[in-house]
Amino acid sequence: MYELKTLLPQFDITLPTCMYELRNVSLSAGATPGPAAHQIQCSGAAEIESNNTKAGTCALDLDILGRQIQHLLKNQDTTAVLERQEKVLKQLEELKAQLGKIRASLGVRVCGKTVQHTTAYQNGGLKEVPLHDVVVNGHPNFIPYALLALKNAWRDLYTIDVKTFTHSTMADIGPAAREFEANLAKVSMNPALPKINVTLIWKNCEHTEMISSPTMYVPIYGEVNIIRYLGRVGPTEYRYENSPLCNEIDAVLDICYQLLRCTTHKSQVAMVRLLDKRLQQQQYFGGDQMSVADIGVYSSLIRMPAITDKDLTPALLAWRKRAKLITQI
């Protein structure tokens, strides 16, 4: 075959670490799969001329094929295969249990009997059903710090179990995302509390999005709207639909949404001034108690490194100190 020259020798290509690696089992010339590897010559089926100018192709030899199969089986790591098989079987059992819950929640007849549910009518008359696991797709450059803030704020009220994975479109998630994962793992979880499972996938996507339904792909775009969703299904202390400050909290979250999309420092400072007007002399944006509005503002300010202490008013600086004690970020 033709030999191709390296076009970009000065650049190092970082291969993704989230893909399977295939073992080299070739016995051809130049391959060294192990100490017992040897080159198998084709005898009688090809002739190589003394001047090395012309060579024939090796015909199928059953003896050579048999030795290749024996060599492959001999060098195959059976222990690793068994461990991988056990892991796959365990994942299949978990998937079967999840599908059973989904089918039960949809009212599908199982074995001729319809699964019955006991539901409670709380939260302003809304019908409460068991929550499905949610998936959040996010880019490492736009880390959803709200997940960590909510996990810390709800430590004694509600459990958010976040598991992170890396999509094949990301070669490296960077040090900030790895630190975020480590901080998520440090938060202790109480198994006695209600829980929602969140799968965070680092992906080369434009917007942070959440998929809440396993049966249909209807994403919820934006970290602020994800906060709204979790606030509605989380602990009752953070559900604000029946609060007299409901419109105020939504207005603060809308400002956060606009702040994250500002492209100039001047427009960012203008949004910060709006937040200061909303805060006024209150302890928090939701009054005297922490709310999802504070989570949204705190996470948004972390994601805007261009906004420094000089851009924040004394009221916002004092609020940030109080919020930091709860969010622990």
Side-chain angles (χ1 to χ4, degrees), residues 7 23 28 87 117 154 158 228:
L7 299 179
R23 189 187 301 270
S28 59
K87 182 178 180 180
H117 302 277
W154 295 354
Y158 203 87
R228 283 190 170 104

Side-chain angles (χ1 to χ4, degrees), residues 63-183:
D63 294 335
I64 296 177
L65 182 60
R67 276 185 286 173
Q68 288 179 336
I69 295 175
Q70 292 178 2
H71 179 80
L72 177 62
L73 294 177
K74 182 180 179 180
N75 291 274
Q76 183 69 33
D77 191 353
T78 56
T79 304
V81 174
L82 291 176
E83 292 177 355
R84 187 182 304 172
Q85 181 182 4
E86 292 295 330
K87 182 178 180 180
V88 171
L89 291 176
K90 183 179 179 181
Q91 291 176 344
L92 289 176
E93 289 295 331
E94 294 176 354
L95 179 60
K96 181 180 178 181
Q98 292 177 2
L99 292 176
K101 293 179 181 179
I102 295 173
R103 183 168 56 179
S105 63
L106 295 176
V108 180
R109 301 178 66 88
V110 182
C111 298
K113 298 181 180 179
T114 304
V115 179
Q116 301 293 331
H117 302 277
T118 57
T119 57
Y121 290 85
Q122 299 175 358
N123 191 23
L126 295 178
K127 181 180 179 181
E128 295 188 353
V129 296
L131 290 174
H132 299 299
D133 299 349
V134 298
V135 177
V136 176
N137 297 322
H139 197 283
N141 293 340
F142 311 106
I143 299 176
Y145 288 101
L147 293 178
L148 179 58
L150 288 173
K151 192 171 184 179
N152 283 318
W154 295 354
R155 187 194 302 264
D156 300 326
L157 302 173
Y158 203 87
T159 299
I160 301 180
D161 188 6
V162 183
K163 296 181 179 179
T164 58
F165 299 89
T166 303
H167 195 264
S168 58
T169 55
M170 298 301 305
D172 184 23
I173 62 175
R178 285 191 288 270
E179 182 182 2
F180 176 75
E181 291 181 344
N183 292 332

Side-chain angles (χ1 to χ4, degrees), residues 19-47:
M19 302 177 67
Y20 292 104
E21 181 180 356
L22 296 180
R23 189 187 301 270
N24 187 4
V25 295
S26 174
L27 297 180
S28 59
T32 57
H38 59 278
Q39 180 178 353
I40 301 177
Q41 301 289 344
C42 183
S43 59
E47 294 183 355

Side-chain angles (χ1 to χ4, degrees), residues 29-329:
T32 57
H38 59 278
Q39 180 178 353
I40 301 177
Q41 301 289 344
C42 183
S43 59
E47 294 183 355
I48 303 178
E49 298 182 357
S50 58
N51 56 4
N52 291 330
T53 58
K54 187 184 298 183
T57 58
C58 182
L60 179 63
D61 192 323
L62 295 180
D63 294 335
I64 296 177
L65 182 60
R67 276 185 286 173
Q68 288 179 336
I69 295 175
Q70 292 178 2
H71 179 80
L72 177 62
L73 294 177
K74 182 180 179 180
N75 291 274
Q76 183 69 33
D77 191 353
T78 56
T79 304
V81 174
L82 291 176
E83 292 177 355
R84 187 182 304 172
Q85 181 182 4
E86 292 295 330
K87 182 178 180 180
V88 171
L89 291 176
K90 183 179 179 181
Q91 291 176 344
L92 289 176
E93 289 295 331
E94 294 176 354
L95 179 60
K96 181 180 178 181
Q98 292 177 2
L99 292 176
K101 293 179 181 179
I102 295 173
R103 183 168 56 179
S105 63
L106 295 176
V108 180
R109 301 178 66 88
V110 182
C111 298
K113 298 181 180 179
T114 304
V115 179
Q116 301 293 331
H117 302 277
T118 57
T119 57
Y121 290 85
Q122 299 175 358
N123 191 23
L126 295 178
K127 181 180 179 181
E128 295 188 353
V129 296
L131 290 174
H132 299 299
D133 299 349
V134 298
V135 177
V136 176
N137 297 322
H139 197 283
N141 293 340
F142 311 106
I143 299 176
Y145 288 101
L147 293 178
L148 179 58
L150 288 173
K151 192 171 184 179
N152 283 318
W154 295 354
R155 187 194 302 264
D156 300 326
L157 302 173
Y158 203 87
T159 299
I160 301 180
D161 188 6
V162 183
K163 296 181 179 179
T164 58
F165 299 89
T166 303
H167 195 264
S168 58
T169 55
M170 298 301 305
D172 184 23
I173 62 175
R178 285 191 288 270
E179 182 182 2
F180 176 75
E181 291 181 344
N183 292 332
L184 283 173
K186 292 179 182 178
V187 183
S188 60
M189 295 186 297
N190 187 352
L193 296 175
K195 184 178 74 170
I196 181 172
N197 296 320
V198 178
T199 300
L200 174 59
I201 301 177
W202 300 117
K203 190 176 181 181
N204 187 13
C205 54
E206 183 179 0
H207 303 286
T208 303
E209 61 178 17
M210 186 189 74
I211 296 92
S212 60
S213 174
T215 57
M216 61 181 67
Y217 189 88
V218 182
I220 298 175
Y221 290 107
E223 182 182 7
V224 172
N225 292 324
I226 296 175
I227 294 174
R228 283 190 170 104
Y229 175 85
L230 295 176
R232 283 168 168 79
V233 301
T236 55
E237 291 83 354
Y238 280 77
R239 299 180 186 180
Y240 63 95
E241 288 86 354
N242 296 327
S243 171
L245 297 174
C246 175
N247 294 333
E248 182 67 20
I249 293 176
D250 274 327
V252 172
L253 292 175
D254 288 339
I255 296 175
C256 295
Y257 186 88
Q258 296 296 329
L259 174 61
L260 294 174
R261 279 149 184 79
C262 291
T263 56
T264 64
H265 184 260
K266 182 178 180 180
S267 59
Q268 293 173 359
V269 173
M271 291 295 108
V272 171
R273 293 293 180 265
L274 291 178
L275 290 174
D276 180 66
K277 291 180 180 179
R278 294 288 181 178
L279 180 61
Q280 295 180 354
Q281 301 300 322
Q282 301 179 114
Q283 293 290 315
Y284 299 98
F285 284 95
D288 296 332
Q289 300 293 330
M290 189 85 167
S291 69
V292 291
D294 300 275
I295 300 294
V297 176
Y298 197 86
S299 177
S300 300
L301 292 179
I302 294 178
R303 289 178 53 181
M304 308 298 282
I307 299 178
T308 62
D309 292 350
K310 295 181 180 179
D311 301 319
L312 301 179
T313 62
L316 284 174
L317 289 173
W319 163 86
R320 192 174 64 176
K321 291 182 180 179
R322 291 190 294 268
K324 187 176 181 179
L325 296 176
I326 299 177
T327 58
Q328 300 182 15
I329 302 178

